[in-house]
Amino acid sequence: MNGFLDLAAARRSIRKFQDIDVPDEHIKYFIDSAVMAPSGCNSQCWKFVAIKNKDIIKRIETAVIEELDKILEIKKSELSQEYLNSKRKAASFFAKAPLVIAVFMTKAEFHDKTMVLALKEQGLDEKNIMELFANYDLLSVGAAVENLLLAVQEKGYGACWMNEPAIAAERIKEILEMDKDDRFISLIPVGVPAYTPRNKKMKELSEVFKML
């Protein structure tokens, strides 16, 4: 690769992996890259858990599939077994990766306490205030995840940023013994790709950018 743009352009979401271990030093490199990301008010409002233990991954897979089945129960009479099997597979393919990274968000606090007090006196609660500032906590975690994904790509691995497992967020928190206030965001399966992904069609720059 010739530079950053080539690295970013080469990254693809990978959903099938070879049965090859990811060394601990590479995992540390991924996380070192993630935590160098910018964060709102320097909150560094993230936690990462690297999981290789197959029993733990299986427990998470079971939790995700069980929660998915609960959601779809109301529509079960209308759904084919083929759809159900496909949906379970799509929500749980992380379980076949040699490494799964769980991403959590911790509490972020706006640095200007006077501004926060002024907003609260106008009736805004903490959730409203965070929304007013464009959910910079989630933006911060997103920046860290993108750093991680690019580090994965640089080292020759593939990964997929999965949010569907969030349907089992509380159960995943319990399995991984996280703190009560940690908010589950995503699972990222990582490994050597088992296939070469197709090129994806990107929007024209003129559709997403203008210069004034």
Side-chain angles (χ1 to χ4, degrees), residues 115-136:
M115 184 83 163
V116 170
L117 287 173
L119 289 168
K120 286 184 175 180
E121 288 180 17
Q122 294 175 55
L124 277 69
D125 60 17
E126 290 189 1
K127 181 179 179 182
N128 298 144
I129 293 171
M130 187 60 73
E131 289 175 351
L132 180 66
F133 294 124
N135 295 106
Y136 68 82

mmCIF file of all heavy atoms in Angstrom, residues 115-136:
data_model
loop_
_atom_site.group_PDB
_atom_site.id
_atom_site.type_symbol
_atom_site.label_atom_id
_atom_site.label_comp_id
_atom_site.label_asym_id
_atom_site.label_seq_id
_atom_site.Cartn_x
_atom_site.Cartn_y
_atom_site.Cartn_z
ATOM 1 N N MET A 115 -21.776 25.696 31.333
ATOM 2 C CA MET A 115 -22.671 25.451 30.200
ATOM 3 C C MET A 115 -23.669 24.343 30.541
ATOM 4 O O MET A 115 -24.876 24.470 30.272
ATOM 5 C CB MET A 115 -21.835 25.051 28.982
ATOM 6 C CG MET A 115 -22.622 24.861 27.710
ATOM 7 S SD MET A 115 -22.907 26.422 26.893
ATOM 8 C CE MET A 115 -23.366 25.831 25.260
ATOM 9 N N VAL A 116 -23.188 23.287 31.169
ATOM 10 C CA VAL A 116 -24.057 22.170 31.534
ATOM 11 C C VAL A 116 -25.117 22.622 32.530
ATOM 12 O O VAL A 116 -26.309 22.297 32.386
ATOM 13 C CB VAL A 116 -23.224 21.006 32.115
ATOM 14 C CG1 VAL A 116 -24.138 19.948 32.734
ATOM 15 C CG2 VAL A 116 -22.350 20.382 31.028
ATOM 16 N N LEU A 117 -24.716 23.385 33.539
ATOM 17 C CA LEU A 117 -25.680 23.872 34.533
ATOM 18 C C LEU A 117 -26.725 24.777 33.886
ATOM 19 O O LEU A 117 -27.915 24.707 34.208
ATOM 20 C CB LEU A 117 -24.945 24.624 35.648
ATOM 21 C CG LEU A 117 -24.139 23.743 36.618
ATOM 22 C CD1 LEU A 117 -23.312 24.621 37.559
ATOM 23 C CD2 LEU A 117 -25.063 22.827 37.415
ATOM 24 N N ALA A 118 -26.293 25.627 32.962
ATOM 25 C CA ALA A 118 -27.226 26.520 32.260
ATOM 26 C C ALA A 118 -28.255 25.712 31.472
ATOM 27 O O ALA A 118 -29.456 26.037 31.461
ATOM 28 C CB ALA A 118 -26.459 27.458 31.340
ATOM 29 N N LEU A 119 -27.805 24.671 30.825
ATOM 30 C CA LEU A 119 -28.713 23.835 30.035
ATOM 31 C C LEU A 119 -29.671 23.069 30.947
ATOM 32 O O LEU A 119 -30.855 22.913 30.626
ATOM 33 C CB LEU A 119 -27.908 22.867 29.169
ATOM 34 C CG LEU A 119 -27.152 23.516 27.999
ATOM 35 C CD1 LEU A 119 -26.153 22.534 27.396
ATOM 36 C CD2 LEU A 119 -28.124 24.011 26.930
ATOM 37 N N LYS A 120 -29.187 22.599 32.081
ATOM 38 C CA LYS A 120 -30.054 21.878 33.016
ATOM 39 C C LYS A 120 -31.121 22.807 33.593
ATOM 40 O O LYS A 120 -32.273 22.381 33.805
ATOM 41 C CB LYS A 120 -29.224 21.247 34.133
ATOM 42 C CG LYS A 120 -28.442 20.016 33.680
ATOM 43 C CD LYS A 120 -27.705 19.337 34.835
ATOM 44 C CE LYS A 120 -27.043 18.046 34.373
ATOM 45 N NZ LYS A 120 -26.321 17.361 35.462
ATOM 46 N N GLU A 121 -30.769 24.071 33.826
ATOM 47 C CA GLU A 121 -31.748 25.028 34.338
ATOM 48 C C GLU A 121 -32.814 25.348 33.292
ATOM 49 O O GLU A 121 -33.883 25.861 33.622
ATOM 50 C CB GLU A 121 -31.039 26.307 34.790
ATOM 51 C CG GLU A 121 -30.246 26.114 36.078
ATOM 52 C CD GLU A 121 -29.541 27.383 36.537
ATOM 53 O OE1 GLU A 121 -29.921 28.473 36.053
ATOM 54 O OE2 GLU A 121 -28.632 27.279 37.376
ATOM 55 N N GLN A 122 -32.519 25.016 32.030
ATOM 56 C CA GLN A 122 -33.506 25.202 30.963
ATOM 57 C C GLN A 122 -34.296 23.919 30.699
ATOM 58 O O GLN A 122 -35.065 23.835 29.749
ATOM 59 C CB GLN A 122 -32.801 25.649 29.679
ATOM 60 C CG GLN A 122 -32.164 27.032 29.800
ATOM 61 C CD GLN A 122 -31.361 27.407 28.563
ATOM 62 O OE1 GLN A 122 -31.878 27.380 27.457
ATOM 63 N NE2 GLN A 122 -30.105 27.775 28.769
ATOM 64 N N GLY A 123 -34.091 22.910 31.564
ATOM 65 C CA GLY A 123 -34.903 21.701 31.504
ATOM 66 C C GLY A 123 -34.280 20.520 30.794
ATOM 67 O O GLY A 123 -34.920 19.478 30.659
ATOM 68 N N LEU A 124 -33.030 20.644 30.348
ATOM 69 C CA LEU A 124 -32.388 19.530 29.663
ATOM 70 C C LEU A 124 -31.758 18.571 30.679
ATOM 71 O O LEU A 124 -31.154 19.025 31.656
ATOM 72 C CB LEU A 124 -31.304 20.024 28.697
ATOM 73 C CG LEU A 124 -31.777 20.480 27.304
ATOM 74 C CD1 LEU A 124 -32.582 21.767 27.402
ATOM 75 C CD2 LEU A 124 -30.590 20.661 26.360
ATOM 76 N N ASP A 125 -31.920 17.275 30.453
ATOM 77 C CA ASP A 125 -31.225 16.304 31.283
ATOM 78 C C ASP A 125 -29.941 15.886 30.572
ATOM 79 O O ASP A 125 -29.610 16.396 29.496
ATOM 80 C CB ASP A 125 -32.114 15.103 31.597
ATOM 81 C CG ASP A 125 -32.570 14.347 30.341
ATOM 82 O OD1 ASP A 125 -31.970 14.536 29.266
ATOM 83 O OD2 ASP A 125 -33.525 13.553 30.459
ATOM 84 N N GLU A 126 -29.199 14.949 31.167
ATOM 85 C CA GLU A 126 -27.903 14.572 30.602
ATOM 86 C C GLU A 126 -28.028 13.992 29.196
ATOM 87 O O GLU A 126 -27.194 14.257 28.328
ATOM 88 C CB GLU A 126 -27.193 13.582 31.530
ATOM 89 C CG GLU A 126 -26.709 14.228 32.827
ATOM 90 C CD GLU A 126 -25.822 13.312 33.648
ATOM 91 O OE1 GLU A 126 -25.567 12.179 33.192
ATOM 92 O OE2 GLU A 126 -25.380 13.731 34.721
ATOM 93 N N LYS A 127 -29.087 13.211 28.960
ATOM 94 C CA LYS A 127 -29.285 12.629 27.633
ATOM 95 C C LYS A 127 -29.546 13.729 26.614
ATOM 96 O O LYS A 127 -28.991 13.710 25.499
ATOM 97 C CB LYS A 127 -30.449 11.639 27.658
ATOM 98 C CG LYS A 127 -30.690 10.969 26.320
ATOM 99 C CD LYS A 127 -31.847 9.983 26.391
ATOM 100 C CE LYS A 127 -32.092 9.351 25.024
ATOM 101 N NZ LYS A 127 -33.252 8.414 25.038
ATOM 102 N N ASN A 128 -30.402 14.703 26.982
ATOM 103 C CA ASN A 128 -30.697 15.811 26.072
ATOM 104 C C ASN A 128 -29.445 16.616 25.753
ATOM 105 O O ASN A 128 -29.238 17.039 24.607
ATOM 106 C CB ASN A 128 -31.741 16.751 26.685
ATOM 107 C CG ASN A 128 -33.075 16.097 26.948
ATOM 108 O OD1 ASN A 128 -33.737 16.416 27.934
ATOM 109 N ND2 ASN A 128 -33.484 15.187 26.080
ATOM 110 N N ILE A 129 -28.624 16.838 26.773
ATOM 111 C CA ILE A 129 -27.396 17.616 26.587
ATOM 112 C C ILE A 129 -26.444 16.877 25.651
ATOM 113 O O ILE A 129 -25.839 17.487 24.753
ATOM 114 C CB ILE A 129 -26.731 17.909 27.943
ATOM 115 C CG1 ILE A 129 -27.610 18.855 28.762
ATOM 116 C CG2 ILE A 129 -25.331 18.503 27.750
ATOM 117 C CD1 ILE A 129 -27.168 19.037 30.203
ATOM 118 N N MET A 130 -26.318 15.582 25.834
ATOM 119 C CA MET A 130 -25.448 14.809 24.947
ATOM 120 C C MET A 130 -25.952 14.862 23.514
ATOM 121 O O MET A 130 -25.169 14.999 22.556
ATOM 122 C CB MET A 130 -25.349 13.360 25.433
ATOM 123 C CG MET A 130 -24.335 12.519 24.679
ATOM 124 S SD MET A 130 -22.637 13.135 24.777
ATOM 125 C CE MET A 130 -22.214 12.708 26.473
ATOM 126 N N GLU A 131 -27.260 14.786 23.335
ATOM 127 C CA GLU A 131 -27.833 14.882 21.988
ATOM 128 C C GLU A 131 -27.592 16.260 21.384
ATOM 129 O O GLU A 131 -27.327 16.388 20.186
ATOM 130 C CB GLU A 131 -29.328 14.573 22.031
ATOM 131 C CG GLU A 131 -29.642 13.111 22.305
ATOM 132 C CD GLU A 131 -31.119 12.834 22.474
ATOM 133 O OE1 GLU A 131 -31.910 13.819 22.541
ATOM 134 O OE2 GLU A 131 -31.498 11.648 22.540
ATOM 135 N N LEU A 132 -27.673 17.294 22.215
ATOM 136 C CA LEU A 132 -27.430 18.656 21.743
ATOM 137 C C LEU A 132 -26.015 18.790 21.178
ATOM 138 O O LEU A 132 -25.793 19.480 20.182
ATOM 139 C CB LEU A 132 -27.635 19.643 22.893
ATOM 140 C CG LEU A 132 -27.416 21.124 22.568
ATOM 141 C CD1 LEU A 132 -28.468 21.627 21.571
ATOM 142 C CD2 LEU A 132 -27.462 21.966 23.843
ATOM 143 N N PHE A 133 -25.081 18.110 21.808
ATOM 144 C CA PHE A 133 -23.691 18.144 21.353
ATOM 145 C C PHE A 133 -23.366 16.979 20.414
ATOM 146 O O PHE A 133 -22.214 16.542 20.327
ATOM 147 C CB PHE A 133 -22.746 18.143 22.562
ATOM 148 C CG PHE A 133 -22.836 19.385 23.392
ATOM 149 C CD1 PHE A 133 -23.108 19.307 24.744
ATOM 150 C CD2 PHE A 133 -22.659 20.637 22.818
ATOM 151 C CE1 PHE A 133 -23.202 20.467 25.517
ATOM 152 C CE2 PHE A 133 -22.748 21.793 23.584
ATOM 153 C CZ PHE A 133 -23.020 21.705 24.933
ATOM 154 N N ALA A 134 -24.402 16.511 19.706
ATOM 155 C CA ALA A 134 -24.242 15.536 18.615
ATOM 156 C C ALA A 134 -23.713 14.192 19.089
ATOM 157 O O ALA A 134 -23.020 13.500 18.342
ATOM 158 C CB ALA A 134 -23.357 16.094 17.510
ATOM 159 N N ASN A 135 -24.063 13.817 20.332
ATOM 160 C CA ASN A 135 -23.649 12.504 20.862
ATOM 161 C C ASN A 135 -22.160 12.262 20.689
ATOM 162 O O ASN A 135 -21.726 11.257 20.121
ATOM 163 C CB ASN A 135 -24.451 11.386 20.194
ATOM 164 C CG ASN A 135 -25.932 11.454 20.516
ATOM 165 O OD1 ASN A 135 -26.737 11.842 19.683
ATOM 166 N ND2 ASN A 135 -26.294 11.101 21.739
ATOM 167 N N TYR A 136 -21.373 13.198 21.213
ATOM 168 C CA TYR A 136 -19.929 13.088 21.024
ATOM 169 C C TYR A 136 -19.333 11.861 21.699
ATOM 170 O O TYR A 136 -18.226 11.431 21.355
ATOM 171 C CB TYR A 136 -19.209 14.354 21.490
ATOM 172 C CG TYR A 136 -19.216 14.618 22.972
ATOM 173 C CD1 TYR A 136 -18.307 14.002 23.822
ATOM 174 C CD2 TYR A 136 -20.133 15.504 23.535
ATOM 175 C CE1 TYR A 136 -18.313 14.251 25.185
ATOM 176 C CE2 TYR A 136 -20.147 15.756 24.899
ATOM 177 C CZ TYR A 136 -19.235 15.126 25.722
ATOM 178 O OH TYR A 136 -19.245 15.367 27.069
#
